[in-house]
Amino acid sequence: MSQAPRANAVVGQSGGPTGVINASLVGVVEEACKHAEFENLYGAVHAVEGIVNEEFVDLARLSRATLASLASSPSAALGSSRDKPDRAYCENIFKVFQKRNVRYFFYIGGNDSANTAHIINEMAAEVGYDLRTFHVPKTIDNDLLVTDHCPGYGTAALFVANALMGDDLDNRSLPGIKIDVIMGRDAGFLTAAAALGRQRADDGPHLIYVPERPVTTEKFVSDVEAVYRRLGRCVVAVSEGIKDGDGVIWAKRLAENPEVDAHGNVQLSGTGTLADFLSGQIREKLGVKRVRADTFGYLQRSFAGLQSHTDAAEARACGRWAVTYALEHSSGSVAMKRVGAGRDYAVDYFRTDLSQVAEKTKSLPDEFINDRGNDVTEAFMAYALPLTGGLAKTAHLSGNGRV
Amino acid sequence: MSQAPRANAVVGQSGGPTGVINASLVGVVEEACKHAEFENLYGAVHAVEGIVNEEFVDLARLSRATLASLASSPSAALGSSRDKPDRAYCENIFKVFQKRNVRYFFYIGGNDSANTAHIINEMAAEVGYDLRTFHVPKTIDNDLLVTDHCPGYGTAALFVANALMGDDLDNRSLPGIKIDVIMGRDAGFLTAAAALGRQRADDGPHLIYVPERPVTTEKFVSDVEAVYRRLGRCVVAVSEGIKDGDGVIWAKRLAENPEVDAHGNVQLSGTGTLADFLSGQIREKLGVKRVRADTFGYLQRSFAGLQSHTDAAEARACGRWAVTYALEHSSGSVAMKRVGAGRDYAVDYFRTDLSQVAEKTKSLPDEFINDRGNDVTEAFMAYALPLTGGLAKTAHLSGNGRV
């Protein structure tokens, strides 16, 4: 590898926002500002769209105060994009890089973003242009390969765990059946996080359904019935991407069925259709009156004022490591390896090839799902709990000794 | 007023849970434990249901550690109830009080709970039984009379403000139209809190609709269109109780219309119907593709890990004052008076008559709603901001100077 050139750098944020994607941006900025190799630090406005339109902000000029609020602000401060660049789009990006002497490209995003970085990097290699492209992992879905877990997941998991802790106490207080629909179309990591706040043997969620385990309406209803008969209440966490016995996503089937979907406007997130369908099934088949369903929606990826300290610190470190690696290597993605468990939880950072991360996804492993396919295992709890940065202890009294 | 007797006390929590109703319970317990007048401190399990069934827990035995987790735990730790006791029900409560030598009754709840306390208190007075009944205010709706504001509101407002801060940053990042449906069937205080996190001139929510100002579908759509044409995006906060031009609650009309409600199972909270209807209207009439709607549901009243410090401290103080007043008076409700604004915000506590609070409700005052009926005023911001305990400063970069 040749000496790292003195040249310009572009940083972008892509895909769905998270609670710590700005912490990664701050990590890139603070590390890059330490090295003379970086001439200008361009922030791409709305990711690849900003690159091809040459809409950049000067990141080196940000004050310490701005960086501090930025590190704790949710959502993508540079603006994001849902564009998935093909080769022609990437050529336009590459032209801008050549024109502006951009030799460093930092792209914070998920597996699609890693793929964009990968295509552009190969393009540069083909013509012998020294471009150093680094992907910084980000996703609340936690579905990237190689890395132990993804920045963004811990904070979203903290939100979901706190939501279920509160919702379960609410359900104790006014008993009934409560269903919560949680993000994660293909991977069940975030829905599984609903279990993390459980502190007592009868704490909810009592049932957890992830996309990795299809479930029929009949099984769903009979599972809920069994818990309700036993405890007089039931809290259920359901992924927006749960599949029925035929492997079809329930929400998609609902969207295709005009009898169920009268609005004709259904997508997986940002709609209450699945939640309303599930509560309707329970009400109809079990005859229980007090059934409620909430869809957590965008709150779980962009809630202000709630970050996992662990997640925020790791996201920021991933940004810093991307810069460090870029001075040593031509390309790659930053990954984390867990080097301790429980109270000794810690991670090491390492570089992996873009091709290992691009376009690939990971599912919730079998050992994290119970045999009945309706809950998580202790192995999942041990894996995910440290990522939340810790959860408060709650109290309730109604089950205490009577006088 | 006679000397306060040495006798037993009953404490109950009623109605919808809040984030600080347990802080009020802790306030009652810690103050009562200081006074020899209180023999036993019975916690009524599931409020009035627990009283008539004589299901009590011993609150005087709680450890300091339990009280500490209790004070920060959302939801009603004793269990709540939706029962609205009539005179016959109250007679059964009163019989239990007589049987167990209960001479102090502390009831934490909203205006219905104040009414229950009022009925029982009058019953005791009629037969000359020395019962000291104190209502401790609690509601996320903030709709009780006399008191400046209600414990529970500040924490729910903090949740809603943080949710909108994050959601608005999310909407900047991936522009489109976003609608958030917020609790508060009759009073718009909680929906109005959506505005509290705004920090920049173009921050959302850009439109706020409260039950106090009916709005037609046409006006709603044209308001959204105007913002969308101007900013390229729009964030809207809508009360679950908004009314149409005829003064009918939209959600109720949707529930009555089988073409709109295919599930046949609609209530105001715990359903996404109103949100889905509103986004459907926007999509259909404006032809905008990226329209999303979330219903915050129970999260806003029971989220763990997020309390307004101001609200929690006031809720606890209200519990303590109820005990203090009970030693001096026969009955009443604890109320707060604001004695400073802005950084000098502070409250004084005082006793008011149960009859002043029972069964009555307050609406969002006219001076808190703008002339066009689609936003709040600066007067509202000054009123509500201190109650949240303060909000974090956020940052975004996409609107900064281009390079």
Side-chain angles (χ1 to χ4, degrees), chain A residues 13 15-22 46 69-81 298 301-305 307, chain B residues 161-176 178 180 194 197-200 202-206 233-235 290 392-399:
Chain A
Q13 298 174 301
T18 78
V20 299
I21 185 170
N22 288 333
H46 291 296
S69 7
L70 198 55
S72 62
S73 292
S75 186
L78 286 169
S80 184
S81 171
Y298 288 5
R301 78 178 192 196
S302 292
F303 192 76
Q307 271 185 335
Chain B
N162 273 310
L164 266 295
M165 283 161 68
D167 211 26
D168 184 56
L169 290 170
D170 194 303
N171 186 263
R172 273 184 193 280
S173 164
L174 291 168
K178 178 70 198 296
D180 290 322
R198 291 196 294 222
Q199 297 173 14
R200 290 155 288 259
D202 62 346
D203 273 1
H206 308 99
R233 67 188 195 92
C234 184
V235 177
R290 202 182 142 73
K393 197 166 149 36
T394 63
H396 81 95
L397 305 172
S398 54

Coordinates of all heavy atoms in Angstrom, one line a residue, chain A residues 13 15-22 46 69-81 298 301-305 307, chain B residues 161-176 178 180 194 197-200 202-206 233-235 290 392-399:
Chain A
Q13 N -24.0 9.6 5.3 CA -24.9 8.7 6.2 C -26.0 8.2 5.3 O -26.7 9.0 4.7 CB -25.4 9.5 7.3 CG -24.4 10.1 8.3 CD -25.0 11.0 9.3 OE1 -25.6 12.0 9.0 NE2 -24.8 10.7 10.6
G15 N -29.4 5.2 4.5 CA -30.4 4.3 5.0 C -31.2 4.9 6.1 O -31.2 6.1 6.4
G16 N -31.9 4.0 6.8 CA -32.8 4.4 8.0 C -32.0 5.0 9.1 O -30.9 4.5 9.4
P17 N -32.4 6.1 9.7 CA -31.6 6.7 10.8 C -31.6 5.8 12.0 O -32.4 4.9 12.1 CB -32.4 8.0 11.1 CG -33.2 8.3 9.9 CD -33.5 6.9 9.3
T18 N -30.6 6.1 12.9 CA -30.6 5.4 14.2 C -30.3 6.5 15.2 O -30.1 7.6 14.9 CB -29.4 4.4 14.2 OG1 -28.2 5.0 14.4 CG2 -29.4 3.5 13.0
G19 N -30.2 6.0 16.5 CA -30.0 6.9 17.6 C -28.5 7.3 17.7 O -28.2 8.2 18.5
V20 N -27.6 6.6 17.0 CA -26.2 6.8 17.2 C -25.4 7.0 15.9 O -24.2 7.1 15.8 CB -25.5 5.7 18.0 CG1 -26.1 5.7 19.4 CG2 -25.6 4.4 17.3
I21 N -26.2 7.2 14.8 CA -25.5 7.3 13.5 C -24.7 8.6 13.5 O -23.6 8.8 12.8 CB -26.4 7.2 12.3 CG1 -25.7 7.2 10.9 CG2 -27.5 8.2 12.3 CD1 -26.5 6.8 9.7
N22 N -25.2 9.6 14.2 CA -24.4 10.9 14.3 C -23.2 10.7 15.2 O -22.2 11.5 15.0 CB -25.3 12.0 14.9 CG -26.4 12.4 13.9 OD1 -26.1 12.3 12.7 ND2 -27.5 12.9 14.3
H46 N -27.7 14.3 2.2 CA -28.5 13.3 1.7 C -27.7 12.2 0.9 O -28.0 11.8 -0.2 CB -29.7 13.8 0.9 CG -30.7 14.5 1.7 ND1 -31.5 13.9 2.7 CD2 -31.1 15.8 1.7 CE1 -32.2 14.8 3.3 NE2 -32.0 16.0 2.7
S69 N -23.5 18.2 20.8 CA -25.0 18.0 20.6 C -25.2 17.0 19.5 O -26.1 16.2 19.6 CB -25.8 19.2 20.4 OG -25.1 20.4 20.2
L70 N -24.4 17.0 18.5 CA -24.5 16.1 17.4 C -24.4 14.6 17.9 O -25.1 13.8 17.5 CB -23.4 16.4 16.4 CG -23.6 15.8 15.0 CD1 -24.9 16.3 14.4 CD2 -22.4 16.3 14.1
A71 N -23.4 14.4 18.7 CA -23.1 13.0 19.2 C -24.3 12.4 20.0 O -24.5 11.2 20.0 CB -21.9 13.0 20.1
S72 N -25.1 13.3 20.5 CA -26.3 12.8 21.3 C -27.6 12.9 20.5 O -28.7 12.6 21.1 CB -26.4 13.4 22.7 OG -26.5 14.8 22.5
S73 N -27.6 13.5 19.3 CA -28.8 13.7 18.5 C -29.1 12.5 17.7 O -28.2 11.9 17.0 CB -28.7 14.9 17.6 OG -28.6 16.1 18.3
P74 N -30.4 12.0 17.7 CA -30.7 10.9 16.9 C -30.9 11.4 15.4 O -30.9 12.6 15.1 CB -32.1 10.5 17.4 CG -32.7 11.7 18.0 CD -31.5 12.5 18.5
S75 N -31.0 10.4 14.5 CA -31.3 10.6 13.1 C -30.0 11.1 12.4 O -29.0 11.4 13.1 CB -32.4 11.6 12.9 OG -32.6 11.7 11.5
A76 N -30.0 11.1 11.1 CA -28.8 11.4 10.3 C -28.7 12.9 10.0 O -29.5 13.4 9.2 CB -28.9 10.6 9.0
A77 N -27.8 13.5 10.7 CA -27.7 15.0 10.7 C -27.3 15.5 9.3 O -27.7 16.7 8.9 CB -26.7 15.5 11.7
L78 N -26.7 14.7 8.4 CA -26.3 15.2 7.1 C -27.5 14.9 6.1 O -27.5 15.4 5.0 CB -25.1 14.4 6.6 CG -23.8 14.8 7.2 CD1 -22.7 13.8 6.8 CD2 -23.4 16.2 6.7
G79 N -28.5 14.3 6.6 CA -29.6 13.8 5.7 C -29.2 12.4 5.1 O -28.0 12.1 5.0
S80 N -30.2 11.6 4.9 CA -30.0 10.3 4.4 C -30.6 10.1 3.0 O -31.1 11.1 2.4 CB -30.6 9.3 5.4 OG -30.3 8.0 5.0
S81 N -30.5 8.9 2.5 CA -31.1 8.6 1.1 C -31.5 7.2 1.1 O -30.9 6.3 1.8 CB -30.1 8.9 0.1 OG -30.5 8.4 -1.2
Y298 N -41.7 4.7 14.1 CA -40.3 5.4 14.0 C -39.7 5.8 15.4 O -38.5 6.1 15.4 CB -40.5 6.6 13.1 CG -40.7 6.3 11.7 CD1 -40.8 5.0 11.3 CD2 -40.6 7.3 10.7 CE1 -41.0 4.7 9.9 CE2 -40.8 7.0 9.4 CZ -41.0 5.6 9.0 OH -41.2 5.3 7.7
R301 N -36.4 4.1 16.3 CA -35.2 4.4 15.7 C -34.7 5.8 15.9 O -33.6 6.1 15.6 CB -35.2 4.0 14.2 CG -35.9 5.0 13.3 CD -35.9 4.6 11.9 NE -36.4 5.6 11.0 CZ -36.7 5.5 9.7 NH1 -36.7 4.2 9.2 NH2 -37.1 6.5 9.0
S302 N -35.6 6.7 16.3 CA -35.2 8.1 16.3 C -35.7 8.9 17.6 O -35.7 10.1 17.5 CB -35.9 8.8 15.1 OG -35.3 8.4 13.9
F303 N -35.9 8.2 18.6 CA -36.4 8.9 19.9 C -35.2 9.7 20.4 O -34.1 9.2 20.6 CB -36.8 7.8 20.9 CG -37.6 8.4 22.0 CD1 -38.9 8.8 21.9 CD2 -37.0 8.5 23.3 CE1 -39.6 9.3 23.0 CE2 -37.6 9.1 24.4 CZ -39.0 9.4 24.2
A304 N -35.5 11.0 20.7 CA -34.4 11.8 21.3 C -34.4 11.6 22.8 O -35.3 11.1 23.4 CB -34.8 13.3 21.0
G305 N -33.2 11.8 23.4 CA -33.1 11.8 24.8 C -32.9 10.4 25.4 O -33.0 10.2 26.6
Q307 N -30.1 7.3 24.7 CA -29.1 6.6 24.0 C -28.5 5.5 24.9 O -28.3 5.8 26.1 CB -27.9 7.5 23.6 CG -28.0 8.2 22.3 CD -26.8 9.0 22.0 OE1 -26.0 9.4 22.9 NE2 -26.5 9.3 20.7
Chain B
A161 N -42.5 15.2 23.6 CA -41.5 16.2 23.0 C -40.3 15.5 22.5 O -39.9 15.8 21.4 CB -41.1 17.2 24.1
N162 N -39.8 14.6 23.2 CA -38.6 13.8 22.7 C -38.9 13.0 21.5 O -38.1 12.9 20.6 CB -38.1 12.9 23.8 CG -37.1 13.5 24.7 OD1 -36.1 14.2 24.3 ND2 -37.3 13.4 26.0
A163 N -40.1 12.4 21.5 CA -40.6 11.7 20.3 C -40.6 12.6 19.1 O -40.1 12.2 18.0 CB -41.9 11.0 20.6
L164 N -41.2 13.7 19.2 CA -41.3 14.7 18.1 C -40.0 15.2 17.7 O -39.7 15.5 16.5 CB -42.3 15.8 18.4 CG -43.8 15.5 17.9 CD1 -43.8 15.5 16.4 CD2 -44.4 14.3 18.5
M165 N -39.1 15.5 18.6 CA -37.7 16.0 18.3 C -37.0 14.9 17.4 O -36.5 15.3 16.4 CB -36.9 16.2 19.6 CG -37.2 17.4 20.3 SD -36.6 17.3 22.1 CE -34.9 17.3 21.9
G166 N -37.1 13.7 17.8 CA -36.5 12.6 17.1 C -37.2 12.4 15.7 O -36.5 12.3 14.7
D167 N -38.5 12.5 15.8 CA -39.2 12.2 14.5 C -39.0 13.3 13.5 O -39.0 13.1 12.3 CB -40.7 12.1 14.9 CG -41.5 11.2 14.0 OD1 -40.8 10.3 13.4 OD2 -42.7 11.3 13.8
D168 N -38.9 14.5 14.0 CA -38.7 15.7 13.1 C -37.3 15.6 12.5 O -37.1 15.8 11.3 CB -38.8 17.0 13.8 CG -38.7 18.2 12.9 OD1 -39.4 18.2 11.9 OD2 -37.8 19.0 13.1
L169 N -36.3 15.1 13.2 CA -34.9 14.9 12.7 C -35.0 13.8 11.7 O -34.3 13.8 10.6 CB -33.9 14.7 13.8 CG -33.6 15.9 14.7 CD1 -32.8 15.4 15.9 CD2 -32.8 16.9 14.0
D170 N -35.7 12.8 12.0 CA -35.9 11.6 11.1 C -36.5 12.1 9.7 O -36.0 11.8 8.6 CB -36.8 10.6 11.7 CG -36.8 9.2 11.0 OD1 -37.1 9.2 9.8 OD2 -36.4 8.2 11.7
N171 N -37.5 12.9 9.9 CA -38.2 13.5 8.7 C -37.3 14.4 7.9 O -37.4 14.5 6.6 CB -39.5 14.2 9.2 CG -40.3 14.6 8.0 OD1 -40.3 15.8 7.6 ND2 -41.1 13.7 7.4
R172 N -36.4 15.1 8.5 CA -35.4 15.9 7.8 C -34.5 15.0 7.0 O -34.1 15.4 5.9 CB -34.5 16.7 8.8 CG -35.0 18.0 9.2 CD -33.9 18.6 10.1 NE -34.5 19.7 10.8 CZ -34.7 20.9 10.3 NH1 -34.3 21.2 9.1 NH2 -35.2 21.9 11.0
S173 N -34.1 13.9 7.6 CA -33.1 13.0 7.0 C -33.7 12.3 5.8 O -33.0 12.1 4.8 CB -32.8 12.0 8.1 OG -32.1 10.9 7.6
L174 N -35.0 11.9 5.9 CA -35.6 11.2 4.8 C -37.0 11.9 4.6 O -38.0 11.5 5.2 CB -35.9 9.7 5.1 CG -34.6 8.8 5.1 CD1 -34.9 7.5 5.7 CD2 -34.0 8.7 3.7
P175 N -37.0 13.0 3.9 CA -38.2 13.9 3.8 C -39.5 13.2 3.3 O -39.4 12.3 2.5 CB -37.8 15.0 2.9 CG -36.3 15.0 2.9 CD -35.9 13.6 3.1
G176 N -40.6 13.7 3.9 CA -41.9 13.2 3.5 C -42.9 13.8 4.4 O -42.6 14.8 5.0
K178 N -45.2 13.1 7.8 CA -45.3 12.2 8.9 C -46.4 12.7 9.9 O -46.4 13.9 10.2 CB -43.9 12.2 9.7 CG -43.9 11.3 10.9 CD -44.0 9.8 10.6 CE -44.5 9.0 11.8 NZ -43.5 9.0 12.9
D180 N -48.3 12.0 13.6 CA -48.2 11.3 14.9 C -49.5 11.6 15.7 O -49.9 12.7 15.9 CB -47.0 11.9 15.7 CG -45.7 11.4 15.1 OD1 -45.6 10.3 14.6 OD2 -44.7 12.2 15.1
A194 N -46.1 18.3 21.8 CA -45.3 18.0 20.7 C -44.5 19.1 20.2 O -43.4 18.9 19.6 CB -46.3 17.6 19.5
G197 N -40.1 20.6 21.9 CA -38.7 20.4 21.5 C -38.3 21.2 20.3 O -37.1 21.1 19.9
R198 N -39.1 22.0 19.7 CA -38.7 22.8 18.5 C -37.6 23.8 18.9 O -37.6 24.5 19.9 CB -39.9 23.6 18.0 CG -41.0 22.7 17.3 CD -42.0 23.4 16.5 NE -42.8 24.3 17.2 CZ -44.1 24.5 17.0 NH1 -44.7 23.8 16.1 NH2 -44.8 25.4 17.7
Q199 N -36.5 23.8 18.0 CA -35.3 24.6 18.3 C -35.0 25.5 17.2 O -34.2 26.4 17.3 CB -34.2 23.6 18.7 CG -34.5 22.8 19.9 CD -33.4 21.8 20.3 OE1 -32.4 21.8 19.7 NE2 -33.8 20.9 21.2
R200 N -35.4 25.2 16.0 CA -35.0 25.9 14.8 C -36.3 26.4 14.1 O -37.4 25.8 14.3 CB -34.2 25.1 13.8 CG -32.8 24.8 14.3 CD -32.2 23.5 13.7 NE -32.9 22.4 14.2 CZ -32.4 21.6 15.2 NH1 -31.2 21.8 15.7 NH2 -33.0 20.5 15.7
D202 N -37.6 26.1 11.2 CA -38.3 25.1 10.4 C -38.4 23.7 11.0 O -38.7 22.7 10.4 CB -37.6 25.0 9.0 CG -36.2 24.5 9.1 OD1 -35.6 24.5 10.2 OD2 -35.7 24.1 8.1
D203 N -38.2 23.6 12.4 CA -38.4 22.4 13.1 C -39.9 22.0 13.1 O -40.8 22.9 13.3 CB -37.9 22.5 14.5 CG -36.4 22.2 14.7 OD1 -35.8 21.9 13.6 OD2 -35.9 22.2 15.8
G204 N -40.2 20.7 13.0 CA -41.6 20.3 13.3 C -41.8 20.0 14.7 O -40.9 20.1 15.5
P205 N -43.0 19.7 15.1 CA -44.2 19.6 14.2 C -44.6 20.9 13.6 O -44.6 21.9 14.3 CB -45.3 19.0 15.2 CG -44.9 19.5 16.5 CD -43.4 19.5 16.5
H206 N -45.0 20.9 12.4 CA -45.4 22.1 11.7 C -46.8 22.4 11.8 O -47.3 23.5 11.6 CB -45.0 21.9 10.2 CG -43.6 21.5 10.0 ND1 -43.2 20.2 9.7 CD2 -42.4 22.2 10.1 CE1 -41.9 20.2 9.6 NE2 -41.4 21.3 9.8
R233 N -41.4 18.9 3.2 CA -41.7 17.9 4.2 C -42.7 18.4 5.2 O -42.9 19.6 5.1 CB -40.4 17.5 4.9 CG -39.8 18.6 5.8 CD -38.4 18.2 6.3 NE -38.0 19.1 7.4 CZ -38.3 18.9 8.7 NH1 -38.9 17.8 9.1 NH2 -37.9 19.8 9.6
C234 N -43.2 17.6 6.0 CA -44.2 18.1 7.0 C -44.4 17.1 8.1 O -44.6 15.9 7.8 CB -45.6 18.4 6.3 SG -46.8 19.1 7.4
V235 N -44.3 17.5 9.3 CA -44.6 16.7 10.5 C -45.8 17.2 11.2 O -45.9 18.4 11.5 CB -43.4 16.7 11.4 CG1 -43.7 15.9 12.7 CG2 -42.1 16.1 10.7
R290 N -44.3 9.4 0.0 CA -43.8 9.0 1.4 C -44.6 9.7 2.5 O -44.3 10.7 3.0 CB -42.3 9.5 1.4 CG -41.5 8.7 2.5 CD -40.1 9.2 2.6 NE -39.7 9.2 4.0 CZ -39.4 8.1 4.7 NH1 -39.5 6.9 4.1 NH2 -39.1 8.2 5.9
A392 N -33.1 18.2 25.7 CA -31.7 18.2 25.2 C -31.7 19.1 23.9 O -32.7 19.3 23.2 CB -31.2 16.8 24.8
K393 N -30.5 19.7 23.6 CA -30.3 20.4 22.4 C -29.9 19.4 21.3 O -29.1 18.5 21.6 CB -29.2 21.4 22.6 CG -29.2 22.5 21.6 CD -28.3 23.7 22.0 CE -27.6 24.4 20.8 NZ -28.5 24.5 19.6
T394 N -30.5 19.5 20.2 CA -30.2 18.6 19.1 C -29.4 19.4 18.0 O -29.4 20.6 18.0 CB -31.5 18.0 18.5 OG1 -32.2 19.0 17.9 CG2 -32.3 17.2 19.5
A395 N -28.9 18.6 17.1 CA -28.1 19.3 16.0 C -28.5 18.6 14.7 O -28.7 17.4 14.6 CB -26.6 19.2 16.2
H396 N -28.5 19.4 13.6 CA -28.5 18.8 12.3 C -27.7 19.7 11.4 O -27.4 20.8 11.7 CB -29.9 18.6 11.7 CG -30.5 19.9 11.2 ND1 -30.4 20.1 9.8 CD2 -31.1 20.9 11.7 CE1 -31.0 21.3 9.6 NE2 -31.4 21.8 10.8
L397 N -27.2 19.1 10.3 CA -26.2 19.8 9.5 C -26.6 20.1 8.1 O -26.0 20.9 7.4 CB -24.9 18.9 9.4 CG -24.3 18.5 10.8 CD1 -23.2 17.5 10.6 CD2 -23.8 19.8 11.5
S398 N -27.7 19.4 7.6 CA -28.0 19.4 6.2 C -28.3 20.8 5.7 O -28.2 21.1 4.5 CB -29.1 18.4 5.8 OG -30.2 18.6 6.6
G399 N -28.8 21.7 6.6 CA -29.2 23.0 6.2 C -28.0 24.0 6.3 O -28.2 25.2 6.0

